[in-house]
């Protein structure tokens, strides 16, 4: 025990000595930042006061670069404005702008190169950079509460991404607003990450996942992009409590995804709410899919999924299904089925569950795909009669999504809250628009 006490005491003394040795360096307008970074010791703080500082910085020691009064660090249109090569570097409270524009060289406002683990970038503005942050083979990085905008004058294909994660583990991307880039968040071969409470808009994709496992996407808002959230070639994802609205192509794309949970999201006023392609062993529950051109586009053998207690309200087409056989949705027991606002069945016993199964892809749906102008007549008695008649003659039937126990009513509080919030912020329902 005495030996343990001595060891603990020695560790405390070493820690205290390290703290005592840390120094704070000050840089003021008219002075250069790089020489101060070069002479700083590990653990030191470099405080840069408000002003404009031109030049490309390189941080090669574990230290903190802190802005006082939001100074601007401008790269002059060359290379990376700041390149981080050391572990345990913190950058906070600065404006970082004007990187180079070479996609080949991957120019970035802040480039966190391989091995620079545990970097932190927070409460900063990254503007007019090709890539906002490029993070490669660096683990446990934190990107928190930043505002990132790209080179707005370039067309989408020539821009870089807002935050690029490649071959990383344990990243936390929290509370950022990212816009006018190619993809706001691009995530490739990056695992065990958390993406929380970000706002992603006016880009190609709000976020673009590929080949990444065990990530959490929660509380984010993606809007006015071409695509909101795209999960491709991934597994073990949790996607919950997000809002994807006003995206011209899709709100949430699930493509070649397995073993994941997508729950309690609001997917509204997009071209397609969900685009689901080659998805297996996933759970989709509690989502509100409202006011989209197509609520769900389902194809490519997407099967063996649990789809229950979702609300499909006011979509011009609720479900567009391409498959060789019926695809069951809803739970085996009543009460956990999905709600479809175009359901024509009845509830004779008043238990809130339809007495007839819900079927998508009936004759009326297929005719409306072939003749879009027919949508103007969907509420007419003649079209509704045609829908009922087509279900009595199996020769007219094609494979369909079938929910055996559809709920008669949606979660009214949830979708009404969405409509009220949308109208307060935006006025009438937003039409899907293309990314700039």
């Amino acid at each position: 025990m005495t030996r343990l006490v001595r060891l603990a005491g020695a560790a405390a003394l070493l820690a205290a000595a390290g703290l005592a040795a840390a120094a704070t360096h000050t840089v003021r307008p008219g002075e250069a930042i790089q020489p101060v970074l070069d002479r700083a010791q590990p653990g030191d703080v470099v405080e840069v006061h408000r002003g404009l500082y031109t030049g490309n910085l390189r941080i090669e020691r574990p230290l903190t670069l802190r802005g006082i009064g939001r100074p601007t660090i401008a790269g002059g249109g060359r290379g990376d404005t700041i390149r981080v090569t050391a572990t345990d570097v913190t950058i906070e409270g600065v404006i970082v702008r004007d990187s180079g524009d070479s996609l080949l060289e991957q120019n970035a406002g802040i480039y966190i190169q391989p091995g620079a683990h545990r970097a932190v970038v927070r409460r900063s503005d990254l503007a007019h950079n090709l890539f906002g942050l490029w993070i490669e083979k660096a683990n446990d990085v934190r990107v928190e509460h930043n505002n990132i905008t790209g080179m707005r004058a370039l067309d989408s294909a020539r821009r870089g991404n807002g935050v690029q994660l490649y071959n990383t583990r344990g990243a936390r991307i929290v509370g950022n607003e990212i816009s006018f880039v190619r993809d706001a968040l691009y995530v490739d071969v990056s695992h065990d990450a958390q993406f929380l409470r970000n706002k992603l808009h006016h880009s190609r994709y709000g976020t673009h996942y590929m080949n990444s496992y065990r990530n959490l996407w929660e509380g984010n808002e993606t809007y006015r992009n071409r695509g909101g959230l795209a999960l491709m070639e991934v597994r073990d994802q949790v996607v919950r409590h997000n809002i994807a609205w006003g995206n011209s192509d899709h709100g949430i794309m699930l493509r070649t995804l397995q073993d994941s949970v997508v729950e309690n999201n609001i997917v509204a006023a997009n071209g397609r709410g969900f685009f689901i392609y080659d998805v297996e062993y996933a759970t989709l529950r509690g989502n509100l899919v409202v006011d989209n051109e197509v609520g769900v586009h389902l194809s490519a053998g997407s099967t063996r999924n649990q789809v229950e207690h979702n609300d499909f309200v006011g979509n011009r087409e609720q479900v567009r299904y391409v498959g060789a056989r019926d695809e069951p949705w809803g739970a085996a027991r009543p009460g956990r089925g999905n709600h479809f606002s175009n359901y024509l069945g009845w509830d004779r016993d008043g238990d809130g569950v339809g007495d007839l199964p819900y079927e998508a892809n009936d004759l009326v749906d297929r005719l409306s795909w072939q003749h879009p102008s027919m949508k103007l007549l969907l509420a007419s008695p003649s079209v509704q009669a045609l829908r009922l008649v087509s279900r009595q003659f199996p020769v007219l039937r094609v494979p369909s999504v079938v929910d055996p126990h559809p709920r008669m009513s949606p979660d009214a509080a949830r979708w009404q809250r969405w409509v009220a919030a949308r109208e307060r912020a935006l006025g009438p329902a937003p039409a899907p628009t293309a990314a700039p």
Side-chain angles (χ1 to χ4, degrees):
M1 179 63 72
T2 303
R3 184 169 181 273
L4 289 174
V5 170
R6 286 201 301 270
L7 288 172
L13 287 172
L14 287 171
L19 289 174
T24 298
H25 308 267
T26 300
V27 182
R28 299 187 183 279
E31 300 174 348
I33 300 173
Q34 188 64 54
V36 180
L37 294 174
D38 291 342
R39 66 173 178 263
Q41 298 302 306
D44 284 0
V45 177
V46 176
E47 292 187 342
V48 180
H49 284 253
R50 184 181 180 88
L52 173 62
Y53 302 83
T54 302
N56 305 92
L57 302 181
R58 189 176 180 92
I59 303 177
E60 299 179 324
R61 295 176 176 81
L63 53 77
T64 296
L65 176 64
R66 178 179 298 147
I68 306 298
R70 314 279 304 170
T72 297
I73 301 170
R78 299 181 303 276
D80 308 313
T81 303
I82 300 176
R83 178 172 282 254
V84 177
T85 69
T87 61
D88 301 293
V89 169
T90 296
I91 299 171
E92 59 185 8
V94 295
I95 300 170
V96 180
R97 60 174 299 136
D98 299 339
S99 77
D101 60 1
S102 172
L103 288 169
L104 181 64
E105 296 177 3
Q106 303 162 178
N107 296 150
I110 301 175
Y111 195 115
I112 299 174
Q113 75 174 36
H117 305 305
R118 298 177 297 282
V120 178
V121 179
R122 62 189 173 207
R123 293 190 293 276
S124 295
D125 292 343
L126 285 78
H128 203 259
N129 302 294
L130 188 65
F131 291 85
L133 283 116
W134 184 290
I135 304 166
E136 181 174 354
K137 297 181 182 177
N139 297 332
D140 302 310
V141 169
R142 305 288 182 265
V143 179
E144 302 171 339
H145 308 295
N146 304 286
N147 191 309
I148 301 172
T149 56
M151 293 183 171
R152 295 177 60 162
L154 300 179
D155 58 45
S156 177
R158 293 173 57 205
R159 299 175 189 170
N161 302 316
V163 175
Q164 172 113 7
L165 287 174
Y166 175 67
N167 203 358
T168 71
R169 288 186 181 273
R172 279 179 55 88
I173 314 298
V174 181
N176 303 281
E177 182 164 353
I178 307 176
S179 59
F180 296 100
V181 291
R182 183 170 57 195
D183 297 339
L185 295 176
Y186 187 91
V187 184
D188 192 11
V189 199
S190 292
H191 315 306
D192 305 301
Q194 297 183 0
F195 303 88
L196 310 174
R197 300 182 299 281
N198 301 286
K199 285 191 173 184
L200 313 171
H201 57 95
H202 291 90
S203 302
R204 182 181 69 170
Y205 288 128
T207 192
H208 192 170
Y209 283 177
M210 295 188 69
N211 309 301
S212 301
Y213 308 141
R214 301 180 302 279
N215 292 326
L216 171 65
W217 175 266
E218 183 171 15
N220 303 282
E221 185 174 2
T222 56
Y223 59 96
R224 299 299 194 191
N225 306 289
R226 192 172 306 157
L229 168 61
L231 299 174
M232 305 169 66
E233 306 283 349
V234 297
R235 62 182 56 180
D236 297 310
Q237 306 291 313
V238 176
V239 181
R240 64 189 178 205
H241 301 300
N242 305 288
I243 301 176
W245 64 267
N247 300 289
S248 62
D249 190 353
H250 62 266
I252 297 178
M253 174 197 287
L254 308 176
R255 179 165 181 164
T256 314
L257 171 143
Q258 296 86 31
D259 304 309
S260 299
V261 176
V262 181
E263 62 182 359
N264 299 321
N265 302 284
I266 295 174
V267 185
N270 305 283
R272 292 175 289 186
F274 280 97
F275 177 56
I276 301 175
Y277 183 99
D278 187 27
V279 172
E280 294 182 298
Y281 306 108
T283 297
L284 283 77
R285 63 175 169 237
N287 300 290
L288 172 60
V289 185
V290 57
D291 198 27
N292 302 280
E293 290 294 326
V294 178
V296 178
H297 188 163
L298 182 72
S299 63
S302 297
T303 189
R304 293 182 286 275
N305 300 303
Q306 184 177 353
V307 183
E308 63 178 30
H309 214 267
N310 302 285
D311 292 336
F312 299 93
V313 179
N315 304 290
R316 262 64 79 198
E317 294 175 28
Q318 299 282 45
V319 179
R320 179 178 292 181
Y321 174 58
V322 180
R325 58 186 177 185
D326 285 352
E327 182 62 28
W329 279 8
R333 66 187 187 281
R336 297 298 299 171
N338 302 283
H339 169 75
F340 302 89
S341 60
N342 64 334
Y343 176 62
L344 295 178
W346 48 84
D347 177 18
R348 288 173 294 187
D349 58 6
D351 64 353
V353 177
D355 297 334
L356 297 174
Y358 173 82
E359 294 188 13
N361 277 27
D362 63 12
L363 179 62
V364 171
D365 289 333
R366 285 180 285 136
L367 286 172
S368 67
W369 301 345
Q370 296 172 12
H371 308 285
S373 60
M374 181 179 168
K375 294 176 184 178
L376 298 172
L377 305 173
L378 285 181
S380 69
S382 59
V383 172
Q384 299 303 321
L386 179 60
R387 191 187 293 271
L388 289 170
V389 168
S390 69
R391 292 180 180 176
Q392 307 305 312
F393 295 92
V395 71
L396 300 176
R397 191 181 184 278
V398 296
S400 177
V401 164
V402 179
D403 190 327
H405 305 292
R407 289 179 296 117
M408 297 298 294
S409 300
D411 182 343
R414 182 176 51 166
W415 78 266
Q416 288 175 354
R417 278 199 304 270
W418 154 250
V419 171
R422 180 195 66 197
E423 290 182 350
R424 283 198 303 271
L426 305 168
T433 61

